[in-house]
């Protein structure tokens, strides 16, 4: 074919007709492509190829949509073109609608008519799916007449995770294509399917291990001129079965159970239901109506904020100016874990699964053997679940700390005991080769104090894993005043390798997560003193969306954990009576947790805590009459008169105390921005994702409202410091409560030596 090149840059479109040989030359000249959003070429004379170009994921921005419409018209109008292929640049078909556009003015051609234009085309249109076809990307592919996928591609409709539903025909086309049960499952979970699964379900027509674009072009040539009557999914009847009513009822029950107040999953079920009860056009109207209600909801706003927050935390910075883009991580090939208790075992599994060689150390032979068995079991179960190869041979077990001499990074994971950790850091400093990073898995101890035990404090950072460490996605990476940017960058990178979301935080008691937990727990205890029961407080928090209320969590993680910390802090004064029993350092204190521990009530593990369980280790929490009697007796002893506390007060006091501490953390420069705190709370503490995180929630409620309620409660309880509004929230509220992305401008940068 001759190389006739016509190029015009109409509203985000470049239309080029060129031959195959020229393709290479053109691809090398990527500078030309920067402002192009859909690129048209003709291959082998008769196939029009439309390439979406919007790095990094070819999201369907206004310009891309315009480009698709323009190039489709072009392909349909050229008599030489007999069929069309739609693909994406750089091996990614399309990551869906451009999420950033949702909060801006929607411009450009709408997605739904654009997809109808493709489906109605009289020339066959083939989607060449490489990388991802997600959300609007898959909906675009469903509008095509055929779909060819690369074997490594992932397909799905994850809109529900953004508080939306697949509003570009996805709820109407997918059930018509693969049936209601499979469509319901994909749409309500938002999970990504592999190409193999997509083939099995009938979402794609062919899977290839080679170039999906080449395969699609070949395919497009083979179907040129064939009837498209049976290829337009919108014309398919929705597959029916006698048990459809039951299927929908079950799906609704399941989403209501698991969604914990999230509205999108429920609305997704309603939209799919329309595909069965209404003809296609009416179903599309219903889809749009339901989409509109979600689109403007606070939950969609929160989930979309959270989507970007989770990505933003990888672009970390510290008050001294160290940054993710100027600090290079050092490669780590071999790591060690010291201490193979519950946390150490999980960390060992995570490291081995990330492909690292691991030296796992436990000083007692018996414990080492037990740990080895436990780790092997965890690896086997995990390999089975993930369909991944076993990582046993990555791990060497040893009773001797000397075995870590040649590793690049050590993670110490012994008990939360400063004296013990100090001894280990002194030893490590002498044993490890120069340059080895020394990390501690602590949930709140002073990183700097540990660093001072070593010859190279700049190599010391905290890596706060969450239990179970091989499952939980969150990692708090804690930099001390002497940690080097390289050490921080390396720990952040290690977290990423282990599949974690790493958040860099400064060094202070409890770091971010546990520091904020303290005033939250404190309020929960005070509420019990004033008349509430654990069940009432938990119910309020669970209705808000937490997976578990604060007292159930406390029973699960063990009341003795906090007790040990309070004892170490000199807060536990056994047998104290009178007013002093409830005051520490001039502030209100509740000894309720200490009193329960003195009774041996440590939670689930002892079968008794804030609730009762049928046996030690039992999981089902039941209200405990003994506890109710104990609370009554406690109140009487301390002259406290029980009152009826309404839901609003319980929620406000717990959440606003936690949020207030979050603002203090921002003010202190311990977290770089509100996104860091929100990601920590959603991933590590069960904060409902559809509420964005505590800081986002504060913005949604209104900073002036949060401030006003804190002021009110602080007036009522002047000896509770956690309720005293911090100056940052005052400053923000006084500046007309700017949007959350502007809060950083109001945070004074504290000094740091990093
Ligand atoms: C009353 C009003 C009514 C209005 C009615 C309007 C009607 C309009 C109807 C429209 C109907 C629309 C229906 C369709 C909706 C959608 O499609 S929503 C989007 C669905 N897609 C997704 O959820 C996919 C999201 N992306 C990902 O899961 C991942 O990014 C990935 C594609 C799997 C790639 O992962 P990875 O390689 O790990 O890269 P990341 O780091 O995640 O991403 C790289 C950067 O790209 C940004 N990004 C990714 N996807 C999008 C996107 N869809 N839009 C915008 N930006 C995206 C991501 O944020 C990263 O950038 P940074 O944040 O800057 O790091």
């Amino acid at each position: 074919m001759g190389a006739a090149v016509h190029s015009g840059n109409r509203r985000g479109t470049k239309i080029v007709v060129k031959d195959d040989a020229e393709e290479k030359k053109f691809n090398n000249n990527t500078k030309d492509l920067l402002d192009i959003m859909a690129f048209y070429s003709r291959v082998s004379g008769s196939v029009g190829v439309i390439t979406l170009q919007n790095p990094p994921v070819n999201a369907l921005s206004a310009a891309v949509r315009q480009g698709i419409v323009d190039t489709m018209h072009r392909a349909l109008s050229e008599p030489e073109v007999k069929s069309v292929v739609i693909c994406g640049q750089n091996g990614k078909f399309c990551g869906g609608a451009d999420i950033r556009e949702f909060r801006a003015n929607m411009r450009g051609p709408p997605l739904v008519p654009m997809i109808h234009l493709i489906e109605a085309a009289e020339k066959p249109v083939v989607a060449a799916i490489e990388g991802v076809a997600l959300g609007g990307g898959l909906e675009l592919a469903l509008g095509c007449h055929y779909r060819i996928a690369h074997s490594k591609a992932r397909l799905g409709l994850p809109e529900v995770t953004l508080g939306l539903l697949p509003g570009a025909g996805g709820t109407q086309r997918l059930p018509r294509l693969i049936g209601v049960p499979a469509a319901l499952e994909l749409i309500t979970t938002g999970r990504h399917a592999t190409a193999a699964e997509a083939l099995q379900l009938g979402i794609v027509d062919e899977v290839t291990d080679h170039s999906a674009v080449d395969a699609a072009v070949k395919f497009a040539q083979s179907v040129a001129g064939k009837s498209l009557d049976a290829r337009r999914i919108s014309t398919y009847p929705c597959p029916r079965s006698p048990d459809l009513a039951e299927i929908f009822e079950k799906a609704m029950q399941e989403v209501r159970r698991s969604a914990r107040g999230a509205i999108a999953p429920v609305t997704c079920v309603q939209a799919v239901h329309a595909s069965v009860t209404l003809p296609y056009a009416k179903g599309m109207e219903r889809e749009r109506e339901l989409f509109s209600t979600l689109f403007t909801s606070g939950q969609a706003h929160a989930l979309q904020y959270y989507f970007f927050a989770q990505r933003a935390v990888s672009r970390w910075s510290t008050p001294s100016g160290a940054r993710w883009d100027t600090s290079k991580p050092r490669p780590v090939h071999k790591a060690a874990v010291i201490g193979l208790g519950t946390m150490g075992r999980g960390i060992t599994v995570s490291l081995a699964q990330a492909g690292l060689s691991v030296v796992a150390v436990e000083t007692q032979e018996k414990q080492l053997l037990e740990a080895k068995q436990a780790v092997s079991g965890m690896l086997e179960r995990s390999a089975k679940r993930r369909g991944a190869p076993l990582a046993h041979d990555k791990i060497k077990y040893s009773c001797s700390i000397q075995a870590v001499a040649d590793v690049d990074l050590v993670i110490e994971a012994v008990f939360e005991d400063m004296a013990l950790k100090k001894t280990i850091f002194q030893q490590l400093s002498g044993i490890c080769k120069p340059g080895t990073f020394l990390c501690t898995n602590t949930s709140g101890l002073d990183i700097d104090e540990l660093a001072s035990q070593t010859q190279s404090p700049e190599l010391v950072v905290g890596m706060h894993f969450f239990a179970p460490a091989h499952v939980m996605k969150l990692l708090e990476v804690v930099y001390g005043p002497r940690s080097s940017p390289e050490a921080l960058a390396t720990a952040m990178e290690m977290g990423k390798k282990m599949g974690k979301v790493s958040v860099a935080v400064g060094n202070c008691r409890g770091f971010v997560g546990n520091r904020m937990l303290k005033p939250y727990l404190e309020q929960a205890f005070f509420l019990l003193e004033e008349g509430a029961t654990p069940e009432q407080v938990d119910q309020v928090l669970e209705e808000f969306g937490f997976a578990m209320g604060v007292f159930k969590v406390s029973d699960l993680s063990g009341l003795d954990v906090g007790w040990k910390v309070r004892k170490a802090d000199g807060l536990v004064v056994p047998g104290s009576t009178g007013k002093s029993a409830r005051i520490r350092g001039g502030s209100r204190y509740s000894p309720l947790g200490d009193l329960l521990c003195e009774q041996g009530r440590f939670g689930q593990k002892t079968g008794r805590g804030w609730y009762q369980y049928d046996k030690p280790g039992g999981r089902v929490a039941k209200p405990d009459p003994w506890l109710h009697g104990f609370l009554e007796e406690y109140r009487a002893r301390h002259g406290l008169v029980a009152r009826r506390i309404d839901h609003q007060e319980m929620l406000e006091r717990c959440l606003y105390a936690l949020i207030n501490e979050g603002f203090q953390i921002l003010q202190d420069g311990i977290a770089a921005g509100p996104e860091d705190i929100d990601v920590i709370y959603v991933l590590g503490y069960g904060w409902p994702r559809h509420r964005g995180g505590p800081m986002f929630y504060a913005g949604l409620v209104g900073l002036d409202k949060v401030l006003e309620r804190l002021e009110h409660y602080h007036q009522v309880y002047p000896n509770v410091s956690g309720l005293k509004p911090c100056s940052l929230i005052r400053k923000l509220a006084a500046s007309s409560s700017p949007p959350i992305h502007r809060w950083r401008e109001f945070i004074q940068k504290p000094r740091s030596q990093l």
Side-chain angles (χ1 to χ4, degrees), residues 55-57 59-60 92 94-100 102 106 110-112 132 134-137 139 154 157-159 161-162 164-168 192 288 291-293 295-296 307-308 311-312 314-315:
V57 302
L60 294 162
K92 285 200 180 102
C94 177
D98 189 334
I99 304 164
R100 287 187 201 277
F102 291 161
M106 299 287 264
L111 211 44
V112 170
V132 287
L134 297 174
E139 291 174 294
R154 286 178 295 144
L157 294 172
E159 287 88 338
T161 64
L162 298 166
L164 300 173
L165 57 79
H192 301 179
R288 187 185 163 83
F291 182 86
S292 303
T293 58
F295 192 74
T296 49
F307 174 86
F308 291 112
R311 283 152 180 85
S314 63
R315 295 186 283 271

Side-chain angles (χ1 to χ4, degrees), residues 566-583:
R566 293 193 295 276
K567 278 204 274 195
D569 288 347
L571 293 170
V572 179
V573 189
S576 67
T577 50
K579 266 201 164 161
S580 65
R582 297 178 43 246
I583 297 287

Side-chain angles (χ1 to χ4, degrees), residues 633-652:
E633 191 260 329
Y634 170 88
R635 290 181 200 120
R637 190 158 19 103
H638 292 280
L640 296 161
V641 181
R643 63 184 172 95
R644 212 197 128 266
I645 308 172
D646 66 31
H647 285 203
Q648 173 104 344
E649 178 178 344
M650 289 196 238
L651 194 65
E652 285 181 351

Side-chain angles (χ1 to χ4, degrees), residues 600-616:
R601 295 179 72 106
F602 293 165
Q604 285 189 4
K605 59 181 142 190
T606 56
R608 297 278 184 279
W610 300 105
Y611 293 88
Q612 59 172 327
Y613 301 84
D614 57 355
K615 57 176 191 284

Side-chain angles (χ1 to χ4, degrees), residues 254-275:
E254 173 55 23
V255 294
R256 289 221 160 100
R257 188 193 59 76
S258 57
R260 294 190 282 125
I263 51 176
V266 173
T267 315
C268 282
V269 177
Q270 291 169 337
V272 175
H273 192 250
S275 74

Side-chain angles (χ1 to χ4, degrees), residues 58-88:
N58 298 320
L60 294 162
S61 63
V64 172
R65 298 195 302 275
Q66 186 65 61
I68 295 172
V69 170
D70 289 349
T71 48
M72 264 312 288
H73 282 307
R74 171 127 201 161
L76 297 179
S77 67
E78 287 179 348
E80 306 90 327
V81 170
K82 304 292 180 218
S83 51
V84 182
V85 165
I86 302 182
C87 60

